[in-house]
Amino acid sequence: MDTIYLDNNATTRPFDEVIEAMAAVHRNGYGNPSSVHRFGQQARHAVERARRQVAALIGARPDQIIFTSGGTESINIAVASAARSPDIFFTSQAEHRAVLAAQERLLSPRRHLMHILLPVDADGQVQTGDFCDDAGRELRGSLLSITAANNETGVIADVPALVRAAAASRTPVHVDAVQACGKMPVSVAAWGVELASISAHKFHGPKGVGALYARDREPLDALIVGGGQERGLRGGTENVAGIVGMGVAAERVRADLDEAVARMTRLRDRLEAEITVRVSGTRVVAAGVPRICNTSCIIFEGRSAETLLIQLSEAGVYASSGSACSSGSIEPSHVLLAMGIDERDARGAIRFSLSRFTTDAEIDRVIKVVASMA
Ligand code: PLP
């Protein structure tokens, strides 16, 4: 049985060119970029080329890119760097756990800190009214961290509006662009944000490599210190193969962005239209607001996502739930609950996430499979 992979927000299949470029590094280009001999310098050039490719994908300058081990590490550096006076962290209720956990960890051993979770509305849009305290005084934060495109619903945040709101209280902004990259145009310069995190394995690159964009160098604190790599901001010998793979993936998704977005949008919209017509009691979360092209979160009223996922998997369709699996029990997603979706519906949410590899024939088959489970 052929399998259909619709769990691309969890991770994506690496492009063949990525695998080949990485294999070439392992075979022939395994020098240490810090070595002065020619072999080392070749590795250095490969890393710097990748830095230019990644920078181009997000509208940054190469010297604003710091390679890390992925989205989670980039987010942790951003949050830890901001952990200084006046110690108010703003984020939204619908953030990825990486952001929430990084902030909570800094808060817990310290006192007099505030962690303000901005509410989201029924469409998953972040509300900024709470940049003021109860007395209406403006609160200046250490950081506002916001997700550009939500991993569960695909909802695209109005980053420029959030940046404007934060600017009024001189709060720097970090954008979690992990899901946005490669699936919508991203320009950190146009957004006007101080920091942004991205991850290669979400856009057909390898796992274990990502990048932090830092507009200015000054406010950053290294989490890992060592041999001064990445200009002292991320010690440790560079993951040259991973970085090269990320660069190749970045170049590819940038080259076909418009066409790929149009294709994925068409396939995603067809999937949603057919499922909601053929299966009663289904609805698309945040259907009326801008979402990234590949993501569809569908509620199957009165059904258990867990059971549906097993049925889908048995039919060769790999999707995921809008819920977080913790210690064996599926908890309803905090993102969906924050949007006011009731717990019962949230337990029946399935996320289908497409990629550049998804075909029309696959969508046809998924529609049939889902309709047969109705
Ligand atoms: N932020 C978002 C929105 C994500 O979807 C993910 C991964 O699921 C991450 C951060 C973490 O990225 P990584 O897996 O590279 O650590």
Side-chain angles (χ1 to χ4, degrees):
M1 179 177 55
D2 285 346
T3 53
I4 301 175
Y5 184 75
L6 292 187
D7 197 13
N8 289 283
N9 284 11
T11 196
T12 55
R13 171 179 146 193
F15 290 130
D16 288 346
E17 304 95 292
V18 166
I19 297 169
E20 279 148 24
M22 292 177 72
V25 170
H26 285 306
R27 271 199 210 99
N28 311 313
Y30 52 84
N32 186 324
S34 299
S35 296
V36 290
H37 49 69
R38 180 156 343 141
F39 211 31
Q41 289 317 295
Q42 277 168 3
R44 163 65 49 217
H45 288 311
V47 167
E48 295 315 319
R49 176 163 193 246
R51 202 185 303 280
R52 290 192 295 276
Q53 291 166 316
V54 169
L57 178 63
I58 61 170
R61 291 195 319 263
D63 66 309
Q64 294 171 317
I65 300 295
I66 299 141
F67 286 116
T68 66
S69 67
T72 301
E73 185 187 329
S74 302
I75 289 166
N76 271 267
I77 298 175
V79 169
S81 298
R84 50 173 65 124
S85 176
D87 293 333
I88 302 173
F89 288 135
F90 290 102
T91 193
S92 90
Q93 292 171 338
E95 292 306 299
H96 192 271
R97 278 299 309 161
V99 170
L100 297 172
Q103 295 192 340
E104 282 157 13
R105 189 177 62 129
L106 289 172
L107 296 180
S108 49
R110 300 169 65 182
R111 287 176 307 161
H112 310 304
L113 300 185
M114 285 168 78
H115 192 201
I116 297 183
L117 293 180
L118 302 171
V120 294
D121 67 13
D123 285 324
Q125 296 290 349
V126 179
Q127 308 295 293
T128 52
D130 290 0
F131 273 102
C132 294
D133 66 11
D134 293 341
R137 278 187 303 257
E138 212 168 63
L139 291 172
R140 182 174 168 210
S142 313
L143 191 72
L144 164 66
S145 185
I146 228 71
T147 306
N150 187 276
N151 51 303
E152 294 186 29
T153 60
V155 168
I156 296 174
D158 186 349
V159 175
L162 291 164
V163 168
R164 278 195 300 278
S169 60
R170 288 177 298 139
T171 300
V173 180
H174 164 254
V175 169
D176 175 348
V178 167
Q179 293 292 346
C181 251
K183 294 182 275 192
M184 60 180 261
V186 168
S187 169
V188 285
W191 278 340
V193 298
E194 277 80 358
L195 298 158
S197 295
I198 66 172
S199 177
H201 74 106
K202 308 290 187 178
F203 56 88
H204 305 286
K207 293 175 187 55
V209 58
L212 175 68
Y213 157 83
R215 191 180 68 188
D216 316 305
R217 186 54 46 91
E218 194 277 312
L220 280 187
D221 291 338
L223 277 189
I224 301 174
V225 291
Q229 289 88 350
E230 296 300 284
R231 278 158 295 165
L233 292 168
R234 210 282 181 167
T237 301
E238 295 87 340
N239 170 9
V240 179
I243 289 170
V244 165
M246 182 174 189
V248 171
E251 192 162 306
R252 262 254 354 226
V253 295
R254 188 165 78 95
D256 76 348
L257 186 68
D258 292 348
E259 185 195 322
V261 167
R263 258 197 79 246
M264 287 188 272
T265 306
R266 181 176 60 75
L267 292 175
R268 192 269 316 267
D269 289 353
R270 192 156 69 78
L271 179 75
E272 292 182 346
E274 292 286 340
I275 289 180
T276 49
V277 165
R278 294 192 194 195
V279 186
S280 62
T282 52
R283 68 176 197 275
V284 176
V285 174
V289 293
R291 286 177 293 146
I292 35 169
C293 57
N294 77 320
T295 306
S296 180
C297 180
I298 301 185
I299 290 178
F300 292 75
E301 284 166 15
R303 309 283 290 268
S304 139
E306 207 175 352
T307 312
L308 289 171
L309 286 177
I310 293 167
Q311 285 177 276
L312 284 169
S313 172
E314 278 167 0
V317 177
Y318 301 154
S320 75
S321 72
S323 313
C325 198
S326 64
S327 56
S329 69
I330 293 208
E331 293 298 324
S333 143
H334 70 282
V335 174
L336 301 184
L337 295 182
M339 292 166 71
I341 291 171
D342 74 37
E343 197 175 316
R344 201 160 153 272
D345 282 351
R347 285 183 191 280
I350 302 282
R351 179 187 72 187
F352 298 97
S353 47
L354 287 59
S355 82
R356 283 165 170 74
F357 290 108
T358 309
T359 64
D360 271 285
E362 287 180 330
I363 293 300
D364 288 341
R365 210 178 107 209
V366 175
I367 292 165
K368 274 203 192 107
V369 168
V370 175
S372 73
M373 295 176 352

